Amino acid sequence: MGSLRFDRRLPRAATGSNWAFQTVDKERLVQPIRFQQLGRKVTGLLAVALTLVACGPGSSGTAAPSAGGNLTFGAIVGLSGIFGQYGPSYTAGMNVAADRVNAKGIIVDGKKLTLKMRYIDDRSDAQVALASGIQMFRDEHVNILFGPLASEAISMTPVAAEHNVINISLATQAPDLVGPKYPLLFAALPANNYRIGAMVAGIQKFYPNTKKVAFLTGSGGNDTIIGPMTTQLAAAGITGTAFTYPPGTKDISTVATKVVAAAPDLIVVGNSPEEQTSDVEQLTAAGLPKTVPCLCYSTQMKPNGRDQLFPSAFSPVDPGVQTSPEIDKFKADITKYLPNPTAFNVQLALAYYFTIRLTALAVEKANSTTDVKAIAKAMTEVSLTEFGAQFQWAGNHTIQVPLAVTQISGTGVSKVVQVSP
């Protein structure tokens, strides 16, 4: 099972989120020390640089495209520091995407380009990420940037815009920043309302008789969920009531008693894995029947006798419980770069996989590696269908794709559906 989080602190990745890669430079991947040797030049933003090497005049007629050199995507990834545990999964997914792009090649101006990956470690430090991004923009002429995560992304967004760089970010704040101020910013996550809509659709799919929902959270922890979800639940004929407590409160027995008295048909709990687990345990101790399911959006918990729903932040599949020829092939390809990956590793690997594929398609459609306005326009016009779902960037530059909602029964039996708002 995955444990991608939906909290607004880091990859829900990252994650189920508070809602959070051959022709590849193999040496950078198999020798982690190389990342450390990059020192201060490295930065922690998943940046993807787009650089064309040796591009000549296009061919004419129906002649096969000639070799046109390399197209380099540069990525700034946290391969060390607090987010270092996630970095290898991200790079593995990007490398698999590059392999699959190169199976066909990218045709620009009649030339067949080979995609290569360029990685820099930001050491999970916003200042390192910022310095590395500037170095990539100015010295390496990177004009497409993937990342970074968490606070690093907020620091990089205005700098990428200043340098006229397309910025593709998995940060949970990215969907809130896209718009006229940052016309070259693209979110690798769906918009907040889209994700919430998928959660509501999941509730209706698995528990169609739900009429009352109780939210339980440390106040201020997931205000971005309570308001929009209450509105969307109301549109579906479901009443949502919030039960909050001060941040950091360990003993929530008083609030838990109120929740039990409200007799909800379903509870919504999240904010962080630790808080979610504690809240559910205390609700059970207060007498909440185990027949009341939990939409637990921060992490998938171990079976505890209570049904739980876990919505993905960005993916149409849950590789921890699903199997299919496509999913199994992706898992096998990941092992080329990440031996013995867990389901969580595979889920993280998917995070930037789809956006690498879509961006490569957009470069080809724009027929340019340098016209960022044309590439950005094409990014909203291309789509990719894999794993039974269609991926595309909406006009507001957020990803739209049916999201996986996993139901885990109290006894541990899992079922996954793809839902859209």
Side-chain angles (χ1 to χ4, degrees):
M1 297 181 185
S3 60
L4 276 128
R5 306 169 38 193
F6 273 85
D7 56 30
R8 300 189 67 83
R9 292 179 294 194
L10 123 67
R12 249 65 56 166
T15 91
S17 150
N18 259 40
W19 257 17
F21 278 106
Q22 149 173 79
T23 303
V24 175
D25 191 339
K26 297 180 181 179
E27 291 183 304
R28 296 178 187 272
L29 298 175
V30 299
Q31 299 182 35
I33 192 172
R34 291 294 181 85
F35 292 113
Q36 300 173 2
Q37 292 173 340
L38 288 175
R40 291 183 174 275
K41 297 175 68 177
V42 185
T43 166
L45 150 57
L46 260 138
V48 177
L50 189 60
T51 306
L52 174 61
V53 179
C55 179
S59 57
S60 60
T62 58
S66 58
N70 298 326
L71 178 67
T72 301
F73 280 8
I76 302 177
V77 191
L79 292 160
S80 59
I82 190 172
F83 300 146
Q85 60 181 312
Y86 306 110
S89 298
Y90 289 134
T91 57
M94 288 192 279
N95 290 331
V96 172
D99 288 344
R100 296 185 178 185
V101 168
N102 288 330
K104 171 182 176 292
I106 303 174
I107 310 302
V108 174
D109 196 22
K111 299 289 186 178
K112 184 176 181 179
L113 307 178
T114 298
L115 178 60
K116 283 180 173 279
M117 299 304 303
R118 159 86 163 100
Y119 299 109
I120 292 184
D121 174 18
D122 68 355
R123 307 199 296 267
S124 305
D125 184 296
Q127 292 304 312
V128 176
L130 193 61
S132 298
I134 293 174
Q135 173 242 317
M136 293 182 80
F137 304 154
R138 293 179 177 176
D139 300 342
E140 302 180 37
H141 308 292
V142 169
N143 61 4
I144 295 184
L145 174 69
F146 282 74
L149 294 170
S151 59
E152 289 90 329
I154 303 305
S155 301
M156 183 58 66
T157 298
V159 176
E162 178 185 351
H163 287 80
N164 204 35
V165 170
I166 292 174
N167 182 197
I168 301 161
S169 177
L170 185 64
T172 54
Q173 300 92 336
D176 301 326
L177 295 174
V178 295
K181 186 176 181 179
Y182 299 115
L184 297 181
L185 175 63
F186 286 78
L189 294 172
N192 191 52
N193 280 341
Y194 185 97
R195 298 196 303 272
I196 290 173
M199 293 165 76
V200 173
I203 292 173
Q204 293 179 291
K205 174 71 175 180
F206 286 108
Y207 305 104
N209 296 323
T210 298
K211 296 301 179 184
K212 295 192 300 181
V213 168
F215 301 93
L216 181 62
T217 179
S219 58
N222 42 319
D223 292 341
T224 57
I225 294 176
I226 291 176
M229 181 174 275
T230 299
T231 300
Q232 295 195 41
L233 285 171
I238 303 172
T239 300
T241 304
F243 297 86
T244 64
Y245 53 85
T249 302
K250 301 300 182 181
D251 182 354
I252 64 165
S253 56
T254 300
V255 178
T257 299
K258 294 178 180 179
V259 174
V260 174
D265 300 314
L266 181 142
I267 56 173
V268 177
V269 183
N271 194 38
S272 73
E274 298 78 14
E275 181 177 298
Q276 173 181 289
T277 300
S278 175
D279 286 356
V280 172
E281 290 175 350
Q282 293 190 61
L283 284 170
T284 299
L288 185 70
K290 288 198 172 183
T291 54
V292 178
C294 173
L295 194 157
C296 299
Y297 59 85
S298 184
T299 188
Q300 289 183 15
M301 298 187 298
K302 295 179 179 180
N304 56 19
R306 185 187 305 280
D307 284 10
Q308 59 176 299
L309 292 185
F310 177 74
S312 173
F314 56 80
S315 175
V317 297
D318 184 338
V321 300
Q322 285 181 285
T323 183
S324 73
E326 273 190 299
I327 295 173
D328 294 345
K329 180 64 166 59
F330 185 81
K331 291 178 179 178
D333 290 347
I334 287 295
T335 62
K336 184 176 180 180
Y337 304 101
L338 192 66
N340 304 312
T342 65
F344 183 67
N345 296 143
V346 176
Q347 186 80 325
L348 290 183
L350 287 166
Y352 275 109
Y353 166 81
F354 302 113
T355 55
I356 292 282
R357 298 289 307 273
L358 283 171
T359 304
L361 289 172
V363 170
E364 186 168 85
K365 181 176 179 62
N367 197 37
S368 174
T369 62
T370 58
D371 188 340
V372 292
K373 289 185 177 180
I375 296 171
K377 180 176 182 294
M379 287 170 72
T380 64
E381 299 170 343
V382 297
S383 64
L384 174 71
T385 299
E386 285 194 37
F387 306 104
Q390 179 173 290
F391 297 78
Q392 62 187 79
W393 269 294
N396 66 358
H397 292 192
T398 61
I399 281 287
Q400 288 193 342
V401 61
L403 298 177
V405 175
T406 303
Q407 180 198 51
I408 306 167
S409 73
T411 58
V413 177
S414 301
K415 181 178 181 180
V416 183
V417 297
Q418 293 180 354
V419 295
S420 299

